[in-house]
Amino acid sequence: MSAPEILAPAGGQEALVAAVRAGADAVYLGAKGFNARRNAENFADLAEAVSYCHARGVKTHIALNTLVSDDELPALDAELTEICAAGADAVIVQDWAVARRARAKCPSLVLHASTQMAIHNAAGAKMAEDAGFARVVLARELSLREIEAIRRQTRLELEVFVHGALCMSASGMCYLSSALGERSGNRGLCAQPCRLNFRENGREYALSLKDLSNLRHLRALTEAGVDSFKIEGRMRRAEYVASAVDACRKALRGEPYDEEALERMFSRAGFTDGYLTGKRTLAMFGHRREEDVAAEKEYAQMRALYRGECHRVGVDMRFSADAAGSRLAVSDGENAVEIADAAPEAARTAPTTASRVRESLGKTGDTPFFLRECAVELPEGVALPGAQINRMRREALAALLEKRAAPRPIPCQSAPLSIAPRRAAGQPKLRARFERFAQLEGFPLERVEYAILPAREIAAHPQALEIPNLVCELPALLYPGMEIDALPDGVSRALCENLGAVRLAREAGAQVFGGHGLNIFNSLALEAYAQMGVMSATLSCELTLRAATRMGGSLERGVVAYGRLPLMRLRACPVNRCRACPGQSELTDRKGVRFPLLCDARRYVTLFNSVPLYIGDKRLDGLDFATLYFTIESPRECRAVLEAFERAAPPDFPRTTGQYFKGVL
């Protein structure tokens, strides 16, 4: 079994050079748009970046891991064309529209499922595998045992983060930045409001995790079947990238590395391995302190790691000389060059030996090459100037480097962008989602199309199965081992907030309803989920209503029209006192605004918005349904919201209209 790939971030040209020279096997980077770090320097000349890496034996993975609107699909096509022309090794994808366009335009382009897809179980990995993905970037929240469990059930390559920043929320399930400032993490512009001082019962920075560092576990991860070790940090300095790559290489070889130096490069009160080890305690939390900031002298020390080329590419050389001239042939196994020069002269004193030629040819200097095998054929009694041999070596290696850098385009064909027209829709039907069974008391269920209850509530209250229009909401997070009892017996309809849940519901024979957590942002993604067996889908809450109602395709669709929207799904609980916790708490931001926290059977925690969304007094025609999303409301409040919607009345409580009328950046 080959050693796992070390995959480094490259937010700009200097970081790219640092990653390659420090010894990364692959880099991931963004082009002009559609990547989850749009504020990074990124690469306007993608072909140049790819050529630089390929010349040095390093793969390039291009991040196309943001949600794409219908209006942006032509620009997406143009970027895919550019990526293919550059000959990139893979693209990292979140949006199913990107996957569909890649398959239509460039079927041989390798697809990696981004961590933004929130794949955290084997069912989700199998969905990606069935769709033709080659690799999945697993969720950061998984333990070693859970990674092993996924490995046993999929043939996909597995990529895991081993060093760098930790998002507080499960990736792809965070809407805090867009809710507070219209800067969407799913669109590559997260403003990181979680790093601000949210308080929980007086404890500060309750949404800020320490940086991840799993370098001491690389051997165990290798044995678990991980194929790629990913370093986070496309917004960080080149020195940080080089130091992380160097430490990762040493750790993978079982050599000691300087963790304190890594902390000085960047940390938040140290590092954590809490997810991988399953120790999800308050020790995982930390924020940036004054003493965490590196001094310039430390950056200078790290620059030494990438001052020269990394000798990564092995070459074979064959040197021969006779009366007709001298010749040097160099091959890397795929590419070959030959250099000719003057013939040797008769030796006046000591003749040139084969060992001396080999010694000169082995001095590959500041190139990415190292000498593997060398054959030398020299007549006896001849002399060759050392300068000539060195010149031939330099010219041959330069020519070989240029040949290796030549673009290797991926076939890309014209593929008409076809979106099925939207069927007419009148006024939407109402659906009601409840957090607790008790909220159903006195609620007129006959006045809503469907009543949605979490699986745990149905399991605790079997009488709920008597509700004729019942829909079971599967957990938004289903880590390995949690899938077994996710869908109670007797359920015929399932609302799914993640990719794995879609597969589980489908295999159980239930009708599949897509939740807003699937991040359906365009018509092609809607079509993709229809092909997966989804019969009805809630669109992304980050869409404008105008975009939602104009979306093409025949699949029934709607929006969340009332409710405290889930802003984060948290596996590291910021309360973390299960024995004394009633399952409901709150966080307070620096302005004193309170955000509810609800625990889902001690499996994960959801952070909800401080005020409910309400658009009952707005025009919603063009949608098939609108969902009332109840969380902490009393039964009386639930009934009052329904009645207000039926009258199209304005609310008598503070509200937000979300992003439906302004959109996200």
Side-chain angles (χ1 to χ4, degrees), residues 423 425-434 440 443-453 467-472 492-493 495 511-513 535-538 555-559 623-628 630 642 646:
R423 63 176 174 78
Q427 286 297 312
K429 297 178 181 179
L430 288 180
R431 299 177 179 180
R433 181 270 183 191
F434 304 90
L440 293 172
F443 194 92
L445 292 178
E446 69 280 0
R447 283 154 58 181
V448 295
E449 182 186 17
Y450 293 110
I452 304 165
L453 266 178
I467 300 172
N469 56 349
L470 178 69
V471 177
C472 172
S492 60
R493 307 180 192 95
L495 178 70
Q511 291 181 321
V512 181
F513 291 62
M535 60 161 287
S536 176
T538 304
L555 186 63
E556 183 181 61
R557 82 290 308 270
V559 299
L623 296 169
D624 295 295
F625 64 88
T627 298
L628 311 179
F630 299 119
L642 173 65
E646 291 175 331

Side-chain angles (χ1 to χ4, degrees), residues 195-270:
R195 301 297 181 186
L196 299 175
N197 195 3
F198 285 83
R199 291 179 172 84
E200 194 286 312
N201 197 31
R203 187 173 63 85
E204 296 190 320
Y205 296 97
L207 287 179
S208 182
L209 292 175
K210 293 177 179 177
D211 273 23
L212 162 77
S213 190
N214 286 334
L215 299 189
R216 67 185 64 181
H217 304 290
L218 294 194
R219 290 292 183 90
L221 286 165
T222 301
E223 293 171 2
V226 173
D227 300 281
S228 179
F229 295 149
K230 188 170 195 170
I231 298 166
E232 187 278 338
R234 277 196 289 142
M235 297 294 290
R236 295 188 181 174
R237 295 176 57 147
E239 295 89 344
Y240 166 87
V241 173
S243 63
V245 170
D246 182 67
C248 197
R249 289 181 69 193
K250 289 175 179 174
L252 191 53
R253 294 194 299 260
E255 299 174 3
Y257 63 93
D258 191 341
E259 186 168 296
E260 291 183 1
L262 280 180
E263 285 190 20
R264 290 193 296 270
M265 280 296 96
F266 196 98
S267 73
R268 292 181 171 91

Side-chain angles (χ1 to χ4, degrees), residues 255-594:
E255 299 174 3
Y257 63 93
D258 191 341
E259 186 168 296
E260 291 183 1
L262 280 180
E263 285 190 20
R264 290 193 296 270
M265 280 296 96
F266 196 98
S267 73
R268 292 181 171 91
F271 296 132
T272 179
D273 60 2
Y275 281 135
L276 194 70
T277 60
K279 298 175 182 177
R280 298 184 295 273
T281 68
L282 293 181
M284 292 182 66
F285 290 76
H287 65 280
R288 194 88 164 123
R289 308 164 304 179
E290 185 176 344
E291 56 264 41
D292 293 325
V293 180
E296 186 57 37
K297 64 179 182 180
E298 290 164 326
Y299 286 123
Q301 292 174 353
M302 293 303 169
R303 290 184 199 118
L305 294 173
Y306 60 98
R307 286 197 183 114
E309 294 273 10
C310 176
H311 300 293
R312 174 195 308 280
V313 182
V315 292
D316 301 323
M317 296 186 183
R318 188 179 73 255
F319 186 93
S320 61
D322 53 30
S326 302
R327 292 164 299 279
L328 174 62
V330 181
S331 171
D332 62 7
E334 295 182 9
N335 305 282
V337 296
E338 187 167 320
I339 300 295
D341 210 313
E345 299 177 353
R348 296 180 181 178
T349 54
T352 301
T353 63
S355 61
R356 180 185 163 196
V357 174
R358 290 191 190 95
E359 182 181 357
S360 295
L361 294 178
K363 296 177 180 177
T364 54
D366 195 21
T367 75
F369 303 109
F370 67 90
L371 183 60
R372 286 186 305 218
E373 295 185 3
C374 183
V376 179
E377 298 175 8
L378 279 179
E380 293 185 3
V382 299
L384 278 168
Q388 178 182 335
I389 300 171
N390 292 337
R391 180 175 64 248
M392 294 176 71
R393 182 199 67 233
R394 288 194 299 268
E395 290 178 3
L397 294 181
L400 183 61
L401 189 65
E402 184 176 356
K403 183 171 283 193
R404 290 174 58 86
R408 300 180 292 231
I410 295 168
C412 188
Q413 61 200 26
S414 175
L417 184 57
S418 176
I419 298 175
R422 170 74 171 116
R423 63 176 174 78
Q427 286 297 312
K429 297 178 181 179
L430 288 180
R431 299 177 179 180
R433 181 270 183 191
F434 304 90
E435 180 73 23
R436 294 171 286 110
F437 180 78
Q439 290 171 311
L440 293 172
E441 181 183 349
F443 194 92
L445 292 178
E446 69 280 0
R447 283 154 58 181
V448 295
E449 182 186 17
Y450 293 110
I452 304 165
L453 266 178
R456 55 175 159 73
E457 290 295 295
I458 296 174
H461 304 277
Q463 63 268 40
L465 292 170
E466 300 174 7
I467 300 172
N469 56 349
L470 178 69
V471 177
C472 172
E473 178 188 80
L474 272 64
L477 295 175
L478 282 167
Y479 296 105
M482 299 179 186
E483 311 102 322
I484 299 173
D485 58 354
L487 196 66
D489 292 338
V491 167
S492 60
R493 307 180 192 95
L495 178 70
C496 304
E497 298 284 1
N498 67 74
L499 196 59
V502 171
R503 186 182 185 93
L504 292 171
R506 195 175 65 188
E507 290 177 344
Q511 291 181 321
V512 181
F513 291 62
H516 67 274
L518 296 180
N519 292 324
I520 299 174
F521 205 76
N522 55 64
S523 302
L524 294 186
L526 199 63
E527 289 180 5
Y529 276 107
Q531 292 180 0
M532 294 179 205
V534 174
M535 60 161 287
S536 176
T538 304
L539 302 178
S540 166
C541 296
E542 296 186 313
L543 276 171
T544 63
L545 276 181
R546 182 172 180 268
T549 55
R550 292 176 62 194
M551 200 174 285
S554 59
L555 186 63
E556 183 181 61
R557 82 290 308 270
V559 299
V560 175
Y562 166 82
R564 295 174 184 265
L565 292 180
L567 300 183
M568 282 184 163
R569 306 288 190 181
L570 316 172
R571 198 178 193 191
C573 178
V575 179
N576 213 279
R577 47 178 184 274
C578 290
R579 292 182 180 178
C581 180
Q584 179 173 338
S585 186
E586 65 182 17
L587 298 185
T588 306
D589 72 6
R590 65 194 193 285
K591 297 179 181 179
V593 178
R594 297 178 176 179

